[in-house]
Amino acid sequence: MGEEDNMKIARYLAHGQISYGVVEGDSVKELSASPFEDYTITDHTHKLSEVKLLAPCIPPKILAIGLNYSSHLHDRPGPTEPMVFFKTAISVIGPDDTIIRPKDTARLDAECELVVIIKDTCRNVSKEDAMNHVLGYTCGNDVSARDWQREDRNWWRAKSSDTFSPAGPYIVDDIDPSNVRVMTRINGNEVQNESTSYLIFDIPTLISYCSQYMTLEPGDMIYTGTPGQPGEMKDGDVCEIEIEGIGILSNPIKLA
């Protein structure tokens, strides 16, 4: 594998072809294969301004963690083990793609989350070994229809309706995931801002825990939880998820 320090990986559309590439400044250099395989960095280069950035990978599955910041508990008792739920791969969208607000939900919230991208197939991973199975990190928005979340027997549509899992813009491997700021802005107004140092269950714990019950696969995403009080997204809004060291994931919102 073409391992290098401080990799910033993009998945993008150019000339009708989807590729992975390494971002250097305002350009992207195409990889010969996906970052989950053996690859080389080619000399085939595009300006970032000339490509369409896509979700940074298509995950076989998305595991998401509920109630993982004390500031998001709102007087509820903290979990004694990670609270894991699924989001569907079909709900993934990329930078600048539109979040569709279903017309029959009363409230649609944005949730900024640091997302872990799994590098390889692994099972029964120890906390000590967990980070060796991480390709990198990206920004995620765990879009949540609050009334459906309260009323349904499970969260199938509240968390996994089409467009409810924005991710991007890049996969970055050189941040300290235990201490980066995650932020949400809606129409430029900040509604969430907290450090991942306040995660109740840290990333090695989450990876190890999930892998005790389920094989993790290359490209799997783990949405690690959201802090504070999320903000509502309405028709015509623009939501920005920013994570220190990764970048900004921006998506417009449109009523279905």
Side-chain angles (χ1 to χ4, degrees):
M1 170 145 341
E3 291 288 347
E4 291 188 1
D5 292 336
N6 304 343
M7 292 283 275
K8 179 187 281 189
I9 295 171
R11 181 171 160 268
Y12 61 92
L13 176 67
H15 306 306
Q17 178 180 326
I18 294 174
S19 304
Y20 286 93
V22 172
V23 177
E24 297 175 353
D26 62 355
S27 297
V28 58
K29 283 186 166 182
E30 187 178 330
L31 302 183
S32 62
S34 88
F36 308 102
E37 307 168 80
D38 289 332
Y39 65 81
T40 56
I41 301 172
T42 72
D43 58 4
H44 192 61
T45 302
H46 294 280
K47 292 286 188 189
L48 278 174
S49 58
E50 297 171 352
V51 305
K52 160 68 174 160
L53 289 179
L54 306 174
C57 66
I58 295 296
K61 56 185 171 293
I62 304 172
L63 298 166
I65 313 300
L67 306 181
N68 203 25
Y69 287 84
S70 55
S71 60
H72 192 61
L73 293 173
H74 307 305
D75 301 322
R76 291 171 288 192
T80 55
E81 58 184 27
M83 191 184 118
V84 186
F85 60 94
F86 286 110
K87 288 170 72 71
T88 53
I90 197 71
S91 66
V92 174
I93 58 172
D96 301 317
D97 290 342
T98 301
I99 297 168
I100 301 299
R101 176 174 171 146
K103 57 174 67 74
D104 52 344
T105 183
R107 184 181 173 101
L108 191 71
D109 281 0
E111 294 191 354
C112 60
E113 309 210 3
L114 179 67
V115 177
V116 179
I117 309 291
I118 297 297
K119 178 169 67 177
D120 52 17
T121 301
C122 57
R123 180 83 154 83
N124 294 321
V125 174
S126 68
K127 291 181 190 178
E128 294 71 28
D129 184 43
M131 303 308 268
N132 294 324
H133 299 284
V134 174
L135 179 70
Y137 309 89
T138 196
C139 307
N141 186 351
D142 179 21
V143 176
S144 303
R146 291 297 179 213
D147 48 329
W148 296 350
Q149 195 175 355
R150 285 192 305 270
E151 295 161 10
D152 292 351
R153 288 179 179 267
N154 63 45
W155 296 353
W156 72 280
R157 60 175 179 158
K159 296 280 195 175
S160 281
S161 290
D162 287 352
T163 76
F164 276 23
S165 301
Y170 309 115
I171 301 172
V172 174
D173 69 352
D174 65 333
I175 63 169
D176 174 5
S178 67
N179 186 19
V180 290
R181 298 205 77 79
V182 296
M183 294 162 269
T184 303
R185 291 184 295 272
I186 297 177
N187 301 331
N189 300 312
E190 186 178 282
V191 291
Q192 291 177 289
N193 185 338
E194 195 159 315
S195 169
T196 55
S197 61
Y198 290 97
L199 284 169
I200 295 171
F201 298 103
D202 65 13
I203 287 167
T205 300
L206 297 177
I207 294 170
S208 177
Y209 180 82
C210 292
S211 76
Q212 303 310 307
Y213 306 99
M214 191 168 292
T215 299
L216 300 180
E217 300 167 280
D220 279 354
M221 293 181 175
I222 301 177
Y223 279 59
T224 57
T226 200
Q229 179 62 51
E232 184 176 7
M233 298 183 293
K234 297 180 178 178
D235 186 39
D237 288 349
V238 174
C239 179
E240 292 178 312
I241 307 295
E242 181 172 4
I243 299 181
E244 209 177 354
I246 298 176
I248 298 172
L249 170 65
S250 179
N251 299 98
I253 291 84
K254 189 176 191 317
L255 192 66

